[in-house]
């Protein structure tokens, strides 16, 4: 192809074009591009570590540290809460809690580069894959805050890398796929969707001989054995993940489901879209990649399942990152001309700057409310204001307590787990008893309920008229305000004191249970 002909094509199409000998170099791995790959990992790790203490705990982090160790919870498997509880029992600060998230994020950078290497990408392709992954927007969010998605991203990429190895080089790697899948179910059951989607891809596009491989079925058996404790927990507890999935679907309207498609452009950042689309296109244009065309079907299945199931729009992120690693190979070949290299590397640099501004707490707190970043990234708002909110709730509790301290103080019941987690973490600093904080939200409803002796309650959040009728009197005493004009779930919520409970807790508490 001539230089002029190549420049006339869009990047996603031109980068997918392969020379006739494109697959011949798959017989041996190119050397690992240690310098650029490790540099990208180090740059992201240092950036995440430097900003890990800013703003404060995220609502999910406050929830995780509050959960007592268990085999599982109504809304998730046990791994992330168990790690959060273990870390905060030693150092109860955001920077310490976020160490696993940082490690997962820098591991994701390495894994994207390894996917590119596995598909035959040389030094330039691996460098592009690594720096693109380090600049990606949602992975940067998941590296800054310790969420279940933090570990899940690394798990999806491990599965993707091992699948590519198994299909292109050695079927024994199906055992590694099964091992990671089984272990990853202790963090999130969503990994099953990925391997099921890959299985459907093999059924649709091949290689069909893989279905006769004992290594594939050995991997399946290994995954089932390792995941067995989670499966037993689900069956023994009436399949709580199905109830949780139904609750999340009910919270998602038709418009939000449709937005999953345009949000695909934002998962790693708009400047990187041509690269991962090039990987998707190249799966059909490169004969050497014919064995891994199933990944294209897997991508479509995951996106479709996300839309139909009303799930979080970021769920396809893991498979998009696999495509990003694959797309780095044809894109690197397209970058032979100097101006193309400048164009691609400028896009990666721009993506890094925009992603950092959106994903990380780089702005002074006083500026956040007037900036677009809190609305662009919900985790920003969900990390701001917790100590202030706790002080405002504490003021209402103390106002409702007997001046001489002879009677019991009102208990606190919150509308969601973030508020409960904040009161458990910061309440003792303002004279609250963390053991007198309850919530009907998700797993906290099962963890503890109010004692029968509690007659007065401070509710954080709006209550229904029916609930108010279960007390002699309910009055709004305060309105939560973070003082920074940052919009989040708590901003503007009422703090309501209800006195003289008239309904037994064994009737009242079940009505406060809710999943979301």
């Amino acid at each position: 192809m001539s230089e002029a002909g190549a420049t006339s094509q869009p990047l996603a199409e031109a980068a997918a074009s392969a020379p006739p000998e494109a697959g011949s170099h798959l017989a041996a791995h190119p050397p690992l591009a240690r310098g650029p790959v490790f540099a990208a990992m180090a740059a992201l790790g240092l950036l995440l570590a430097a900003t890990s203490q800013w703003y404060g705990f995220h609502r999910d982090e406050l929830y995780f540290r509050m959960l007592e160790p268990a085999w599982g919870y109504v809304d998730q498997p046990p791994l992330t809460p168990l790690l959060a509880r273990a870390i905060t029992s030693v150092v109860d600060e955001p920077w310490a809690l976020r160490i696993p998230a940082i490690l997962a994020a820098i591991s994701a950078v390495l894994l994207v580069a390894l996917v590119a290497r596995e598909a035959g990408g040389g030094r330039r392709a691996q460098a592009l894959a690594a720096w693109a992954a380090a600049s990606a927007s949602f992975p940067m969010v998941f590296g800054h805050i310790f969420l279940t998605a933090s570990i899940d991203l690394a798990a999806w990429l491990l599965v993707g890398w091992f699948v590519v190895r198994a299909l292109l080089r050695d079927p024994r790697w199906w055992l590694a796929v099964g091992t990671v899948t089984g272990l990853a179910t202790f963090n999130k059951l969503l990994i099953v969707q990925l391997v099921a989607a890959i299985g459907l891809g093999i059924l649709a596009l091949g290689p069909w001989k893989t279905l006769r491989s004992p290594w594939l079925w050995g991997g399946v058996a290994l995954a089932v054995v390792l995941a067995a404790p989670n499966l037993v927990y689900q069956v023994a507890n009436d399949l709580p993940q199905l109830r949780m999935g139904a609750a999340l679907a009910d919270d998602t309207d038709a418009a939000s489901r449709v937005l999953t498609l345009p949000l695909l452009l934002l998962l790693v950042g708009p400047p990187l879209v041509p690269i991962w689309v090039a990987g998707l296109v190249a799966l059909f244009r490169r004969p050497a990649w014919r064995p891994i065309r199933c990944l294209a079907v897997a991508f479509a299945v995951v996106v479709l399942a996300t839309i139909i199931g009303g799930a979080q729009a970021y769920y396809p992120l893991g498979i998009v990152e696999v495509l990003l690693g694959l797309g780095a190979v044809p894109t690197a070949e397209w970058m032979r001309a100097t101006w193309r290299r400048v164009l691609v590397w400028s896009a990666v640099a721009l993506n890094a700057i925009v992603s950092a501004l959106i994903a990380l707490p780089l702005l002074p707190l006083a500026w956040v409310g007037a900036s677009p970043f809190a609305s662009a990234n919900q985790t920003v708002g969900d990390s701001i204001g917790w100590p202030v909110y706790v002080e405002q709730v504490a003021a209402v509790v103390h106002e409702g307590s007997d001046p001489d301290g002879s009677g019991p103080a009102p208990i606190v019941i919150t509308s969601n787990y973030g508020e409960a987690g904040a009161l458990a973490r910061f309440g003792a600093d303002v004279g609250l008893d963390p053991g007198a904080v309850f919530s009907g939200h998700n797993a906290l409803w099962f963890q503890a309920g109010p004692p029968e002796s509690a007659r007065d309650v401070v509710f954080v959040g709006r209550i229904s008229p029916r609930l108010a009728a279960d007390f002699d009197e309910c009055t709004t005493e305060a309105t939560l305000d973070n003082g920074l004009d940052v919009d989040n779930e708590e901003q503007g919520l009422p703090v309501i004191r209800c006195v003289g409970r008239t309904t037994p807790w064994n009737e009242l508490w079940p009505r406060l249970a809710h999943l979301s």
Side-chain angles (χ1 to χ4, degrees), residues 236-263:
N237 291 274
D238 299 324
L239 303 175
Q241 285 288 287
L242 292 182
R243 300 202 305 273
M244 188 67 203
L248 292 175
D250 289 341
D251 289 341
T252 307
D253 57 23
S256 298
R257 294 171 193 259
V258 173
L259 284 175
T260 297
L261 290 175
L263 282 175

Side-chain angles (χ1 to χ4, degrees), residues 405-421:
S406 59
I411 65 168
V412 180
I413 297 180
T414 70
S415 59
N416 65 53
Y417 58 61
E419 299 152 2

Side-chain angles (χ1 to χ4, degrees), residues 40 42-56 58 61 98 101-102 105-106 133-147 150 351-365 367-369 371-384:
L44 179 61
L46 289 173
L47 179 62
L48 293 174
T51 57
S52 60
Q53 187 68 15
W54 299 356
Y55 291 3
H58 182 265
E61 294 173 323
R98 291 167 179 171
I102 295 173
I106 62 178
S135 77
S137 49
F138 269 76
M140 200 176 289
V141 173
F142 299 154
H144 171 63
I145 296 170
F146 186 34
L147 308 171
S150 305
N351 197 68
I353 294 170
V354 175
S355 294
L357 287 172
I358 293 175
L360 302 179
L362 299 180
L363 290 181
L365 273 172
W367 297 2
V368 174
S371 77
F373 300 129
S375 57
N377 176 12
Q378 184 180 346
T379 65
V380 172
D382 287 344
S383 302
I384 291 174

